[in-house]
């Protein structure tokens, strides 16, 4: 019975008017043709000159084209044969790589928990040459590696007119880079803008390699950065209407939605992401003054608070993630650190969202609701201190093990539970937290907490340190996950499926423009 109810809640309750409105804002995609900057030839692992390109390539030869930067693009080339008549198919392996290290990564043994279909590689049999090959899929890549698996003893293959068609709904030049004498900050800003541009397709995608779809938590950070850079505000509007157009039967907004073949909600629900619909909508209005959208979507946004309150006990404390409550289970994201206890951060995110609910109601003049949200905020803040503040260690703890994590402290500061000098001191202690942050997403919130505590210089220096670490490791777009202590860390069981252009890491371009 309980299972039936849960499944029933998962069903989509589409709002055709909202979806139609979203579809009317599908942006135009710009296409730019680009040629490789460098071409390298290998046999095995050794770089070698295989002779004149016109002599062609055979079994075991490895060819690498470097396009200079990582972009979302389609790949094309022409190939023909030399030597005797072509007496067998040409058999090729193609690998598309965002970073140099992926070129040499062996993914054949991949056993991770998300689909190996995300690994950007293809095996091609070409029966007749010459042939113009236009790869059907869109990839995210800087490098293309072709391994000639076989030709035959009688013919070899020649490659020509290698190019890619870069695609995005924005053009990089539209956003002006920050002017600073600091070379590292300039590189960080450039990489952040490139990251965001690659993810701005017909929706704000999380990453052009993976998952190539619209996630609400990612959208929050992309939208903020977009307002200060590309200013394609209708794309935010489209995404807002897509989410609001496809809640479940209870009105809960899913963590992510698909656009094709027709708009569809995913059956993944994350409480923190659903609540982020409130800040995304409020900030959209603050940046555009589009009152019609604010009015139309406010009920969907405020509904997220009502639903979140079902997971809050009579003391005003949220149940732990994944634990039975009278309303059932909920899940949340927060960060990819698998040992993270999320209860304290989730409490803070509800508080954070209550402040946005109040802000939204003020904008719309919903007087009664303003005081309701303000009182609820005060009650839950008192409950949060009683439940999570550890007086002895002067930190927030979470869960039965009284876990001390960076995420708990950061979110309590962003929720306004600790402010000013106390917040600055707490962040200082956060550096010692045994449970660290692993995604640029969480590091963004850490930087924002520093700013909230009045330490803009600290936030900039953190950006130089953390995002600068990716630049020093060769990044030209920022990654989904970066743990300086372990560059191969992956939440999926293998770095083969990690995304190296992930929109939630684009926020230095926002923070550097505040
Ligand atoms: C990953 C996605 C996305 C994130 C979710 C929670 O699978 O790449 O960026 O929002 O997880």
């Amino acid at each position: 019975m309980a299972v039936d109810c849960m499944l029933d809640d998962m069903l989509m309750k589409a709002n055709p008017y909202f979806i139609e409105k979203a579809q009317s804002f599908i942006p135009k995609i710009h296409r730019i043709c680009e040629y490789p900057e460098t071409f390298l030839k290998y046999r095995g692992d050794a770089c070698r000159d295989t002779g004149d390109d016109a002599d062609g390539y055979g079994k075991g030869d490895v060819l690498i084209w470097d396009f200079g930067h990582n972009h979302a693009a389609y790949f094309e080339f022409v190939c023909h044969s030399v030597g005797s008549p072509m007496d067998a198919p040409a058999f090729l392996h193609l690998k598309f790589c965002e970073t140099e290290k992926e070129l040499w990564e062996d993914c054949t043994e991949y056993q991770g928990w998300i689909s190996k279909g995300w690994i950007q590689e293809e095996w091609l049999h070409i029966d007749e040459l010459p042939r113009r090959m236009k790869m059907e899929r869109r990839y995210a890549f800087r490098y293309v590696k072709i391994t000639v698996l076989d030709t035959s003893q009688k013919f070899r293959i020649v490659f020509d007119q290698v190019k890619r068609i870069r695609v995005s709904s924005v053009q990089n030049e539209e956003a002006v880079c920050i002017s600073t004498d600091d070379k590292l900050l300039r590189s960080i800003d450039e990489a952040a803008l490139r990251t965001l541009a690659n993810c701005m397709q017909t929706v704000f995608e999380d990453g052009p390699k993976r998952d190539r779809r619209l996630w609400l938590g990612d959208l929050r950070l992309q939208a903020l950065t977009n307002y200060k850079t590309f200013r394609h505000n209708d794309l935010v509007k489209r995404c807002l209407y897509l989410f609001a157009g496809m809640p479940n039967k209870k009105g809960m907004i899913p963590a992510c939605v698909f656009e094709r073949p027709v708009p569809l909600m995913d059956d993944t629900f994350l409480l923190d992401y659903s609540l982020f619909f409130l800040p995304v909508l409020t900030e959209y209005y603050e940046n555009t003054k589009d009152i019609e959208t604010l009015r139309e979507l406010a009920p969907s946004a405020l509904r997220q608070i009502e639903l979140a309150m079902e997971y809050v006990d009579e003391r005003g404390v949220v149940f732990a993630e994944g634990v039975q409550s009278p309303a059932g289970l909920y899940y949340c994201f927060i960060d990819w650190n698998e040992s993270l206890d999320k209860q304290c951060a989730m409490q803070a995110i509800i508080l954070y969202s209550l402040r946005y609910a109040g802000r939204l109601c003020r904008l719309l003049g919903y007087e009664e609701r303003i005081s309701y949200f303000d009182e609820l905020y005060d009650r839950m803040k008192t409950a949060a201190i009683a439940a999570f503040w550890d007086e002895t260690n002067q930190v927030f703890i979470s869960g039965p093990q009284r876990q001390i994590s960076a995420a708990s402290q950061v979110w309590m500061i962003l929720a306004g539970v600790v402010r000013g000098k106390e917040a600055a001191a707490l962040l200082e202690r956060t550096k010692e937290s045994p449970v660290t942050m692993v995604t640029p997403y969480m590091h963004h919130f850490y930087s924002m907490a520093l700013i909230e505590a009045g330490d803009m210089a600290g936030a900039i220096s953190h950006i130089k340190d953390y995002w600068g670490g990716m630049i020093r490791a060769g990044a030209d777009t920022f990654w989904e996950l970066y743990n300086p202590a372990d560059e191969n860390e992956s939440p999926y069981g293998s770095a083969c499926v990690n995304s190296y252009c992930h929109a939630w890491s684009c926020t230095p371009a926002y923070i550097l423009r505040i």
Side-chain angles (χ1 to χ4, degrees), residues 206 210-211 215 218 270 273 333 336 480 492 502 504:
D206 57 338
R210 210 212 77 246
D211 302 324
W215 286 85
D218 308 55
L270 299 169
Y273 275 28
F333 173 62
W336 268 128
E480 165 180 29
Y492 311 114
H502 218 68
W504 67 19

Short mmCIF file of all heavy atoms in Angstrom, two decimals, residues 206 210-211 215 218 270 273 333 336 480 492 502 504, ligand 1:
data_model
loop_
_atom_site.label_atom_id
_atom_site.label_comp_id
_atom_site.label_asym_id
_atom_site.label_seq_id
_atom_site.Cartn_x
_atom_site.Cartn_y
_atom_site.Cartn_z
N ASP A 206 23.53 20.41 -17.23
CA ASP A 206 24.53 20.31 -16.14
C ASP A 206 25.93 20.12 -16.71
O ASP A 206 26.89 20.70 -16.22
CB ASP A 206 24.17 19.19 -15.15
CG ASP A 206 24.02 17.82 -15.79
OD1 ASP A 206 23.79 17.75 -17.01
OD2 ASP A 206 24.15 16.81 -15.08
N ARG A 210 27.88 14.81 -19.73
CA ARG A 210 26.95 14.07 -18.87
C ARG A 210 26.40 15.02 -17.83
O ARG A 210 27.19 15.80 -17.29
CB ARG A 210 27.76 12.97 -18.16
CG ARG A 210 27.07 11.71 -17.80
CD ARG A 210 27.58 11.05 -16.53
NE ARG A 210 26.99 11.82 -15.44
CZ ARG A 210 27.72 12.55 -14.61
NH1 ARG A 210 29.02 12.58 -14.65
NH2 ARG A 210 27.13 13.25 -13.68
N ASP A 211 25.15 15.01 -17.47
CA ASP A 211 24.02 14.23 -17.92
C ASP A 211 23.28 14.89 -19.07
O ASP A 211 22.26 14.36 -19.52
CB ASP A 211 23.00 14.06 -16.78
CG ASP A 211 23.59 13.41 -15.55
OD1 ASP A 211 24.43 12.53 -15.69
OD2 ASP A 211 23.22 13.80 -14.44
N TRP A 215 19.11 20.21 -14.43
CA TRP A 215 18.98 19.90 -13.01
C TRP A 215 18.74 21.21 -12.27
O TRP A 215 19.39 22.23 -12.56
CB TRP A 215 20.26 19.26 -12.47
CG TRP A 215 20.49 17.84 -12.87
CD1 TRP A 215 21.08 17.40 -14.03
CD2 TRP A 215 20.18 16.65 -12.11
NE1 TRP A 215 21.15 16.03 -14.03
CE2 TRP A 215 20.60 15.55 -12.87
CE3 TRP A 215 19.59 16.42 -10.87
CZ2 TRP A 215 20.46 14.22 -12.43
CZ3 TRP A 215 19.44 15.12 -10.43
CH2 TRP A 215 19.88 14.03 -11.21
N ASP A 218 21.78 22.78 -10.24
CA ASP A 218 22.76 23.35 -11.18
C ASP A 218 22.22 24.64 -11.78
O ASP A 218 22.94 25.64 -11.92
CB ASP A 218 23.09 22.36 -12.31
CG ASP A 218 23.49 20.97 -11.79
OD1 ASP A 218 22.71 20.39 -11.02
OD2 ASP A 218 24.56 20.49 -12.15
N LEU A 270 14.75 15.47 -5.02
CA LEU A 270 15.73 15.82 -3.99
C LEU A 270 15.17 17.05 -3.27
O LEU A 270 14.89 18.07 -3.92
CB LEU A 270 17.09 16.13 -4.62
CG LEU A 270 17.74 14.97 -5.40
CD1 LEU A 270 18.93 15.45 -6.22
CD2 LEU A 270 18.19 13.87 -4.43
N TYR A 273 16.92 20.39 -3.85
CA TYR A 273 16.75 20.91 -5.21
C TYR A 273 15.34 21.48 -5.39
O TYR A 273 15.18 22.56 -5.95
CB TYR A 273 17.03 19.81 -6.25
CG TYR A 273 18.51 19.66 -6.60
CD1 TYR A 273 19.50 19.99 -5.69
CD2 TYR A 273 18.89 19.19 -7.85
CE1 TYR A 273 20.84 19.84 -6.02
CE2 TYR A 273 20.25 19.04 -8.19
CZ TYR A 273 21.21 19.37 -7.27
OH TYR A 273 22.53 19.25 -7.61
N PHE A 333 20.59 16.24 -1.90
CA PHE A 333 21.91 16.10 -2.52
C PHE A 333 23.02 16.69 -1.63
O PHE A 333 23.87 15.97 -1.16
CB PHE A 333 21.92 16.74 -3.91
CG PHE A 333 23.30 16.75 -4.49
CD1 PHE A 333 23.97 15.55 -4.73
CD2 PHE A 333 23.98 17.94 -4.76
CE1 PHE A 333 25.28 15.53 -5.22
CE2 PHE A 333 25.28 17.93 -5.25
CZ PHE A 333 25.92 16.72 -5.48
N TRP A 336 28.74 15.66 -3.06
CA TRP A 336 29.02 14.27 -3.43
C TRP A 336 29.90 13.55 -2.41
O TRP A 336 30.37 12.46 -2.68
CB TRP A 336 29.69 14.21 -4.79
CG TRP A 336 28.74 14.05 -5.95
CD1 TRP A 336 28.70 14.85 -7.06
CD2 TRP A 336 27.72 13.06 -6.14
NE1 TRP A 336 27.71 14.41 -7.92
CE2 TRP A 336 27.10 13.31 -7.37
CE3 TRP A 336 27.25 11.98 -5.38
CZ2 TRP A 336 26.06 12.54 -7.88
CZ3 TRP A 336 26.21 11.21 -5.87
CH2 TRP A 336 25.63 11.49 -7.11
N GLU A 480 33.15 18.67 -12.71
CA GLU A 480 32.02 18.30 -11.85
C GLU A 480 32.48 18.07 -10.41
O GLU A 480 31.79 18.41 -9.46
CB GLU A 480 31.45 16.99 -12.42
CG GLU A 480 30.53 16.25 -11.53
CD GLU A 480 30.02 14.97 -12.20
OE1 GLU A 480 30.73 14.40 -13.04
OE2 GLU A 480 28.89 14.58 -11.86
N TYR A 492 30.96 7.98 -8.93
CA TYR A 492 30.30 6.94 -9.72
C TYR A 492 31.05 5.62 -9.77
O TYR A 492 30.66 4.71 -10.50
CB TYR A 492 30.09 7.46 -11.15
CG TYR A 492 29.47 8.83 -11.17
CD1 TYR A 492 30.18 9.92 -11.64
CD2 TYR A 492 28.18 9.02 -10.69
CE1 TYR A 492 29.61 11.18 -11.64
CE2 TYR A 492 27.60 10.28 -10.68
CZ TYR A 492 28.32 11.35 -11.15
OH TYR A 492 27.77 12.59 -11.13
N HIS A 502 31.37 21.18 -16.11
CA HIS A 502 30.13 21.02 -15.36
C HIS A 502 29.68 22.38 -14.85
O HIS A 502 30.40 23.06 -14.14
CB HIS A 502 30.36 20.04 -14.21
CG HIS A 502 29.19 19.15 -13.99
ND1 HIS A 502 28.78 18.19 -14.89
CD2 HIS A 502 28.27 19.10 -12.99
CE1 HIS A 502 27.70 17.57 -14.44
NE2 HIS A 502 27.36 18.12 -13.29
N TRP A 504 27.85 23.70 -12.68
CA TRP A 504 27.82 24.20 -11.30
C TRP A 504 29.18 24.71 -10.83
O TRP A 504 29.32 25.20 -9.73
CB TRP A 504 27.22 23.18 -10.35
CG TRP A 504 27.99 21.89 -10.10
CD1 TRP A 504 29.31 21.64 -10.31
CD2 TRP A 504 27.45 20.69 -9.53
NE1 TRP A 504 29.62 20.37 -9.94
CE2 TRP A 504 28.51 19.76 -9.44
CE3 TRP A 504 26.18 20.31 -9.09
CZ2 TRP A 504 28.34 18.47 -8.95
CZ3 TRP A 504 26.02 19.04 -8.59
CH2 TRP A 504 27.08 18.13 -8.52
C1 LIG B 1 24.72 14.59 -11.06
C2 LIG B 1 24.49 15.60 -12.09
C3 LIG B 1 24.05 16.96 -11.63
C4 LIG B 1 23.68 17.00 -10.18
C5 LIG B 1 23.09 15.73 -9.69
C6 LIG B 1 22.64 15.76 -8.26
O1 LIG B 1 24.33 13.35 -11.59
O2 LIG B 1 25.61 15.69 -12.90
O3 LIG B 1 24.99 17.93 -11.91
O4 LIG B 1 22.82 18.06 -9.99
O5 LIG B 1 24.03 14.72 -9.85
#
